[in-house]
Amino acid sequence: MVAQVVVLEMSTNPDVADMQRIFHAQRNGFQAHPMPSLKDRLVLLQRLRTFLLQFKDDLIEAVSADFGHRSPDETLFAEIMTTLEAIKYHESHLAEWMRPQKRQVNPMHLPAKARVVYQPLGVVGIIVPWNYPIFLALGPLTAAIAAGNRVMIKMSGFTCATASVLSRLLAEVAPSDVLAVYAGRGEISEAFSRLPFDQLTFTGSTEVGKKIMTAAAEHLTPVLLELGGKSPAIIHDSFSVEMAAERIAFGKCWNAGQTCVAPDYVLCNHSRLQDFVRAMQKQVHAMYPTMRENADYTAIINEKQYGRLQNLLMDARKKGATIIEINPGNEDFSQGKKMPLTLVLGVTPEMLVMQQEIFGPVLPVFGVSSLDEAIAFVRHRPRPLALYYFDHHPSRIAFVAEQTHSGGLGINEVLSHVGIEDLPFGGIGASGMGRYHAREGFLTYSNAKAVLEKPKLYPLRFFLPPFNKGLHKFLKSYFIR
Ligand code: NAD
């Protein structure tokens, strides 16, 4: 068989040249074995599970080293357990997904058999952000290898310790012409996104997402863009503020707010603003009596992000907002990179806190007069990755679902929908395009090839040119029906 030719101008940077070499090795390996069997794929998933469990403690330590401190329980729950659940889910559905699907044939094309076959795409590139470096590398990887692809991963330059453990882990799972991991910034990142992948999955910011799409356009590489944005939480007047605060505080403090689907701001009735603030204070006190030395509370990843978050607060204060720091232990946070949850009231659209994705423990709370006003507020802004609505009333819930666009909709919850493997995950508009998780992920990483098979019998012969009475009669009967 003649392999498809991919010509890359080899880089003079040895790291980039190595990446290009591995890309070629993966492409050639795929050409030689373009359709891994169900058994081959299940073996890979099984090995991934085994080595993930084996490297679990190293990973927890590495993520914490990258963050300055990451709660070990958060890493176990949100990264390792969720990945194991994803593997289990793929293992149990793969046989059914891989099966060719029978489709209907229109009567005029009979006799024939139509089906869709799901074929791996080839070499998939996965670009990973720093905030959940394990789950956002291994989650897409699970879907991509289940669909039969080879995978190259590019980790963030801010999570080099995690990248190094993942690299050892994946080397145990499969050789580098099947799975490979890189880490880095600048030239490495850009060169990675320019490789002529068969599919490129990017998780990261909207700004960088635009660059990725531009780079992928050169080879018409299809992209899955998992981006960020400002995910709102709307609390209906009839919903208990204590219950809403319990759930919102959890979602906003988890990973110190450094979560793509963390609630970015809250909309609740003017008359209940103070009650909501009190409920948030009570909830944060209950979850974190102290924060500085508390192993459960995660630090901000680096000085740059810490400085950006402090700047958001400074800007809001300068422009007239009220800043309410929830600091249960009354601790001094002037040293280190931990930052207590801070509510911001009296926010205006000119404040930076409403112009950027927050991505940290800062929560603007807006007063609104009605549900219609809250919906108009959301619709006026770029479509978010998640929208959270707190209400028990079925027709109002349906109304919010119909009147707003977001990648996902959480009713009386925050974050958890990401962990439901049977639900597709992704954004819309500025928060991304495409989906993974669930069967949608398998489809993202497969070529759903349409196949039509004709037997020896070929009635179309009677309709071939020169067009005759038989065809005219058939067309007439079709159009006068
Ligand atoms: P980022 O966009 O700065 O970087 C993401 C990745 O892209 C990193 O690996 C980085 O090295 C690489 N990169 C940066 N510039 C590049 C370029 N020019 N060419 C190629 N690659 C480049 O994002 P981040 O700061 O690592 O992560 C935070 C962002 O990610 C937030 O916006 C957050 O909402 C988003 N996010 C989204 C999801 C999701 O599933 N939708 C999940 C987690 C994080």
Side-chain angles (χ1 to χ4, degrees):
M1 192 203 301
V2 180
Q4 188 181 333
V5 181
V6 181
V7 181
L8 280 176
E9 195 185 318
M10 290 308 266
S11 172
T12 49
N13 176 329
D15 295 331
V16 175
D18 182 62
M19 226 155 63
Q20 294 173 323
R21 189 180 57 75
I22 293 293
F23 175 81
H24 277 294
Q26 292 212 354
R27 177 56 75 76
N28 292 338
F30 180 76
Q31 298 282 10
H33 303 285
M35 190 68 184
S37 66
L38 172 64
K39 190 165 160 248
D40 293 341
R41 302 181 198 194
L42 290 176
V43 166
L44 265 190
L45 291 173
Q46 155 75 40
R47 291 181 68 80
L48 182 59
R49 191 208 353 261
T50 305
F51 288 103
L52 181 54
L53 285 169
Q54 193 166 310
F55 281 82
K56 162 171 83 49
D57 295 334
D58 291 355
L59 283 169
I60 290 171
E61 222 172 90
V63 178
S64 197
D66 284 330
F67 270 73
H69 174 74
R70 153 70 89 71
S71 153
D73 291 319
E74 286 183 351
T75 303
L76 266 179
F77 190 88
E79 304 230 58
I80 296 177
M81 206 177 94
T82 42
T83 306
L84 291 169
E85 285 296 302
I87 296 171
K88 203 173 5 161
Y89 176 85
H90 280 79
E91 285 171 335
S92 61
H93 287 84
L94 194 52
E96 166 204 336
W97 293 343
M98 282 177 68
R99 210 169 293 137
Q101 262 190 13
K102 204 171 156 201
R103 297 293 172 98
Q104 276 184 5
V105 179
N106 329 22
M108 67 272 257
H109 293 290
L110 287 170
K113 284 190 279 189
R115 62 185 175 275
V116 178
V117 294
Y118 299 96
Q119 183 178 35
L121 292 171
V123 182
V124 168
I126 297 176
I127 302 180
V128 186
W130 52 260
N131 66 328
Y132 290 97
I134 306 168
F135 180 53
L136 297 175
L138 301 187
L141 171 86
T142 298
I145 59 177
N149 298 283
R150 297 180 180 226
V151 176
M152 291 175 70
I153 296 176
K154 211 291 291 169
M155 304 291 290
S156 164
F158 298 119
T159 52
C160 289
T162 310
S164 152
V165 179
L166 273 183
S167 173
R168 285 192 281 128
L169 186 164
L170 292 181
E172 298 284 352
V173 177
S176 60
D177 64 347
V178 177
L179 302 178
V181 182
Y182 293 87
R185 279 184 260 175
E187 195 183 344
I188 294 274
S189 288
E190 286 167 27
F192 188 89
S193 66
R194 282 200 304 269
L195 289 171
F197 289 114
D198 298 296
Q199 203 282 348
L200 181 56
T201 294
F202 170 78
T203 306
S205 62
T206 303
E207 275 321 300
V208 176
K210 291 178 191 171
K211 294 183 187 167
I212 299 297
M213 203 165 166
T214 306
E218 194 185 327
H219 304 287
L220 292 177
T221 296
V223 287
L224 166 61
L225 297 181
E226 294 285 344
L227 310 179
K230 298 182 80 63
S231 298
I234 303 174
I235 309 171
H236 189 263
D237 301 354
S238 63
F239 197 89
S240 145
V241 280
E242 285 79 19
M243 206 184 277
E246 183 184 31
R247 298 170 194 200
I248 291 171
F250 146 73
K252 192 66 183 181
C253 292
W254 187 267
N255 207 27
Q258 302 164 107
T259 304
C260 57
V261 285
D264 190 274
Y265 61 91
V266 171
L267 298 163
C268 85
N269 198 297
H270 292 287
S271 63
R272 304 196 324 146
L273 271 184
Q274 290 311 323
D275 289 345
F276 178 71
V277 170
R278 273 191 292 276
M280 285 292 283
Q281 286 168 323
K282 191 169 157 214
Q283 184 59 34
V284 175
H285 278 245
M287 293 192 299
Y288 307 100
T290 61
M291 289 173 163
R292 260 191 67 130
E293 306 302 327
N294 185 341
D296 292 350
Y297 196 66
T298 294
I300 305 304
I301 179 99
N302 55 35
E303 296 296 343
K304 189 173 160 214
Q305 289 296 328
Y306 185 84
R308 182 185 64 80
L309 291 164
Q310 293 298 331
N311 189 44
L312 293 184
L313 290 177
M314 231 163 56
D315 173 79
R317 190 177 281 120
K318 207 167 68 194
K319 292 177 179 157
T322 305
I323 309 291
I324 304 170
E325 184 180 281
I326 309 183
N327 180 355
N330 209 16
E331 294 165 288
D332 176 8
F333 286 96
S334 58
Q335 304 295 315
K337 294 190 286 94
K338 279 202 177 173
M339 189 174 162
L341 178 64
T342 306
L343 306 182
V344 190
L345 273 69
V347 174
T348 60
E350 302 74 48
M351 295 178 185
L352 289 179
V353 83
M354 277 319 281
Q355 289 174 7
Q356 298 177 8
E357 175 184 10
I358 294 173
F359 217 58
V362 172
L363 185 69
V365 186
F366 287 89
V368 287
S369 307
S370 64
L371 178 59
D372 285 345
E373 190 186 332
I375 289 175
F377 191 98
V378 171
R379 282 168 53 148
H380 193 66
R381 290 169 166 75
R383 292 172 167 178
L385 186 56
L387 187 143
Y388 301 113
Y389 181 54
F390 292 88
D391 193 353
H392 297 296
H393 194 277
S395 62
R396 278 197 305 260
I397 292 172
F399 180 72
V400 171
E402 284 165 10
Q403 295 296 316
T404 58
H405 281 83
S406 53
L409 172 64
I411 312 291
N412 308 330
E413 69 92 16
V414 299
L415 315 194
S416 309
H417 63 285
V418 184
I420 309 299
E421 268 303 316
D422 210 25
L423 281 176
F425 179 69
I428 175 170
S431 60
M433 63 179 69
R435 293 287 184 273
Y436 72 121
H437 296 196
R439 182 177 168 87
E440 282 77 356
F442 178 81
L443 295 177
T444 292
Y445 296 112
S446 299
N447 176 31
K449 188 187 278 185
V451 178
L452 186 71
E453 187 179 334
K454 293 258 184 190
K456 279 190 184 151
L457 191 65
Y458 191 60
L460 201 60
R461 178 178 304 130
F462 300 109
F463 296 115
L464 297 180
F467 298 126
N468 55 24
K469 273 194 199 150
L471 175 71
H472 294 149
K473 208 168 146 193
F474 168 74
L475 288 174
K476 199 167 162 196
S477 69
Y478 183 87
F479 286 104
I480 59 172
R481 250 186 303 184

